[in-house]
């Protein structure tokens, strides 16, 4: 199921992002959009590699444990006032001063 969904949804998305990243931005808005697409591509690529290396080698019980660990980690990060910066809520485009028309 995961492999089929990856083939049908993830691979085309990564291809589209790679293609879009090859074009040179002509304006500040396009540079900002390109930065966001690059970050999105990196995140999807890392998640895909993690899933294929971690989950593919695990029996179903191990996969469930990995998912629980991720959920517990996210819960601890998001609710703790002393959580590291990468756990905090990301700024919105407006908060960063990037307003796309």
């Amino acid at each position: 199921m995961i492999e089929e969904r990856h083939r049908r949804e993830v691979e085309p998305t990564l291809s589209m992002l790679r293609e879009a990243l090859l074009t040179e931005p002509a304006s500040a808005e396009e540079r900002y959009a390109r930065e966001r697409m690059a970050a999105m591509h990196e995140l999807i690529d890392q998640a895909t590699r993690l899933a294929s290396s971690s989950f593919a080698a695990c029996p179903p019980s191990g996969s469930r444990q990995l998912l629980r660990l991720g959920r517990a980690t996210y819960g601890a990060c998001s609710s703790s006032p002393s959580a590291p910066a990468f756990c905090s809520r990301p700024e919105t485009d407006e908060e960063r001063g990037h307003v796309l028309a």
Side-chain angles (χ1 to χ4, degrees):
M1 180 177 72
I2 292 172
E3 290 173 7
E4 178 61 27
R5 191 164 196 176
H6 180 270
R7 183 191 64 76
R8 198 176 60 243
E9 297 175 22
V10 176
E11 286 177 12
T13 302
L14 287 173
S15 292
M16 184 278 307
L17 288 170
R18 268 188 236 105
E19 199 172 300
L21 292 171
L22 292 174
T23 62
E24 284 299 317
S27 65
E29 289 86 10
E30 288 182 10
R31 277 190 295 281
Y32 175 69
R34 188 173 191 276
E35 289 172 11
R36 296 288 303 258
M37 285 188 288
M40 189 182 315
H41 182 275
E42 183 179 352
L43 175 66
I44 294 169
D45 189 50
Q46 288 175 351
T48 299
R49 280 190 270 127
L50 174 68
S52 64
S53 65
S54 299
F55 291 105
C58 282
S61 62
S63 295
R64 281 192 295 277
Q65 286 178 326
L66 280 172
L67 290 171
R68 277 191 221 110
L69 176 64
R71 185 176 24 210
T73 303
Y74 177 76
C77 271
S78 62
S79 62
S80 171
S82 62
F86 64 82
C87 290
S88 63
R89 179 188 65 80
E91 294 178 320
T92 64
D93 291 339
E94 290 78 20
E95 289 170 340
R96 284 191 205 103
H98 298 289
V99 179
L100 300 177

